[in-house]
Amino acid sequence: MKKIIHIALLVAGTSIGVGIVALPMVAVNLGLPLVTGLVALMLFIGYRSFMMPVDVNIRHQSFLSIVEMSREHAGRATFFITLSSYCLLLFGLLTAYFSCLADTIGTFCNVPSRTVIMLCGIGLLALVNLRNNIFSKINSVCVSILLLFIGIAIVHVCGNPSGVSSKTETHLQLTELSVFLPTIFTSFGMQVLCSYVCSYLDNDRKKISKAAVIGVIIPALIYTLWIFCVLKNVATHDTEFYQRLQAHQVSVGELIQFLCTSSHHPALGVFLKVLTLFAVITSTIGIAVGLLQPLQSFLSKNVSKIVLCFVPVLINLTVRDAFMKVLSFGGMMLAIFAIFVPYYLLWKEKRHRASDCICLAFGIAIVLCELKQFF
């Protein structure tokens, strides 16, 4: 049971990342009923897209990552597309997380961002060299701290439920779905863990399924509560700021600062910074786990760890505004390797299910939404 809990927390911690601050900003014009329905849909999509590569591993009694599956069971073209999308997304996310950590820690402790970014690379290198059982315990502690601070922040931000007024009503704008869907899909990007999970739980489908269900329910509940609390707080305290939020004229930093000042609780500023810090740390750990094994398939063990930890450092030190640039294509890359490739492998063996077809349709929708942003 301990192993199931460790994996469930790893899945949850990987999912709860920058979405905790990004989702309220892209959900503001959709309305709570639609957002709740989409989160429920994402709970299903997240679970099934996680289990598709797991089913491939169980079928072949292997512990392969999605990239390795495409090399073993598909053609060269599929392998190249999978590897490219996989590395682009995961290195991009690590780069974004390092940047976010640098901003958060730099502001909180008044440390130069370059120094923090270098420390992120060194710290991640130390983590990936730990034994699996120690690594899992550290991750579980980090996720537990994250969930504690999310609970505290929700209580403080939401305040008195009876204070909700008509100003919290949002205006349904379906055109904004093209932004919200890729963002929430990327916020449930735990499919990168399939290889590690299969190995850790010995390809026991029942245990993996149980851990995956718990792991996706936690972020689904947290995201729904958090979106409601943030938007309710803003609309109740400042109509003008809420309108700016609806017009997408508010930055992440401004939103966090507003939540700190509007709550009238001095400690909330510290809570929100710690929440952001641990949300990014837990996601970084999960993404690192997912990226390490594919790298080790064509690089030596030590070289792959150095590449994993210091390529994001190099990008952050050389590319301006890396945080926003690397997140602009995340949903499309995730759809390619987390939905299309596993579905193709199951379809080839005639092992795909009707629920997998729903995932395929959702993946196509994500790609169309992302393409819309370029035209």
Side-chain angles (χ1 to χ4, degrees):
M1 189 62 189
K2 284 185 179 180
K3 281 191 169 185
I4 294 175
I5 293 173
H6 284 318
I7 291 300
L9 290 176
L10 180 62
V11 170
T14 303
S15 299
I16 303 170
V18 291
I20 205 74
V21 288
L23 286 175
M25 302 179 71
V26 296
V28 63
N29 291 315
L30 296 178
L32 186 61
L34 179 58
V35 168
T36 304
L38 290 173
V39 171
L41 172 64
M42 198 58 246
L43 194 157
F44 169 77
I45 297 294
Y47 170 77
R48 274 311 306 161
S49 61
F50 183 83
M51 292 303 297
M52 279 196 291
V54 168
D55 287 337
V56 175
N57 268 333
I58 293 174
R59 165 76 173 158
H60 295 277
Q61 285 301 298
S62 60
F63 305 125
L64 301 177
S65 68
I66 298 174
V67 174
E68 291 169 316
M69 288 177 194
S70 67
R71 184 177 63 181
E72 292 289 328
H73 308 301
R76 291 184 179 180
T78 303
F79 170 66
F80 177 76
I81 292 171
T82 307
L83 179 63
S84 300
S85 61
Y86 195 84
C87 290
L88 278 173
L89 176 66
L90 298 198
F91 273 123
L93 288 176
L94 282 178
T95 300
Y97 292 158
F98 279 21
S99 175
C100 189
L101 282 171
D103 289 341
T104 303
I105 297 174
T107 302
F108 193 57
C109 303
N110 196 25
V111 178
S113 61
R114 286 176 172 266
T115 302
V116 178
I117 287 170
M118 287 298 299
L119 290 174
C120 287
I122 295 170
L124 184 58
L125 183 62
L127 276 175
V128 296
N129 278 288
L130 295 174
R131 288 183 299 177
N132 277 354
N133 61 333
I134 298 175
F135 179 87
S136 297
K137 289 177 182 178
I138 290 176
N139 178 75
S140 296
V141 170
C142 289
V143 176
S144 299
I145 294 172
L146 169 63
L147 296 179
L148 172 65
F149 277 92
I150 286 176
I152 294 171
I154 287 176
V155 170
H156 282 290
V157 170
C158 206
N160 183 6
S162 63
V164 180
S165 69
S166 60
K167 290 185 291 186
T168 61
E169 294 179 2
T170 52
H171 304 288
L172 179 61
Q173 296 184 13
L174 292 177
T175 55
E176 302 214 358
L177 279 174
S178 62
V179 177
F180 181 80
L181 285 177
T183 303
I184 193 170
F185 181 51
T186 307
S187 299
F188 280 81
M190 68 283 189
Q191 299 86 352
V192 299
L193 298 171
C194 71
S195 170
Y196 180 85
V197 171
C198 288
S199 175
Y200 194 79
L201 294 179
D202 301 316
N203 269 341
D204 187 324
R205 195 182 192 282
K206 187 175 180 180
K207 290 181 180 179
I208 295 172
S209 178
K210 188 179 297 185
V213 168
I214 298 171
V216 296
I217 286 176
I218 292 172
L221 291 174
I222 286 174
Y223 282 145
T224 304
L225 282 172
W226 183 249
I227 290 170
F228 168 74
C229 290
V230 169
L231 296 182
K232 176 254 180 181
N233 180 277
V234 175
T236 301
H237 287 90
D238 192 331
T239 305
E240 183 180 347
F241 189 86
Y242 186 74
Q243 291 171 347
R244 286 182 56 213
L245 191 62
Q246 287 184 307
H248 305 297
Q249 297 172 350
V250 176
S251 68
V252 171
E254 288 178 311
L255 178 59
I256 292 177
Q257 184 61 39
F258 179 88
L259 295 175
C260 293
T261 56
S262 64
S263 66
H264 305 298
H265 291 278
L268 184 58
V270 177
F271 287 144
L272 287 171
K273 288 172 182 174
V274 173
L275 186 158
T276 304
L277 181 65
F278 276 92
V280 177
I281 288 175
T282 55
S283 287
T284 301
I285 290 173
I287 292 299
V289 168
L291 185 54
L292 186 57
Q293 186 167 339
L295 288 177
Q296 289 178 346
S297 65
F298 57 89
L299 294 174
S300 68
K301 189 173 183 180
N302 290 330
V303 172
S304 62
K305 289 178 180 179
I306 292 172
V307 169
L308 169 74
C309 299
F310 290 103
V311 165
V313 171
L314 182 62
I315 296 173
N316 267 302
L317 295 180
T318 56
V319 179
R320 189 176 181 180
D321 298 326
F323 180 79
M324 295 306 299
K325 290 178 180 177
V326 299
L327 288 179
S328 61
F329 57 87
M332 186 188 303
M333 297 298 102
L334 184 60
I336 290 172
F337 79 81
I339 292 181
F340 296 161
V341 173
Y343 180 87
Y344 172 67
L345 295 175
L346 289 172
W347 176 80
K348 276 185 64 179
E349 299 178 354
K350 301 188 184 303
R351 297 280 176 175
H352 62 291
R353 308 181 183 191
S355 55
D356 298 335
C357 297
I358 298 174
C359 287
L360 177 65
F362 184 85
I364 294 171
I366 292 296
V367 172
L368 294 176
C369 288
E370 293 276 57
L371 291 175
K372 183 178 180 295
Q373 304 304 315
F374 293 101
F375 300 101

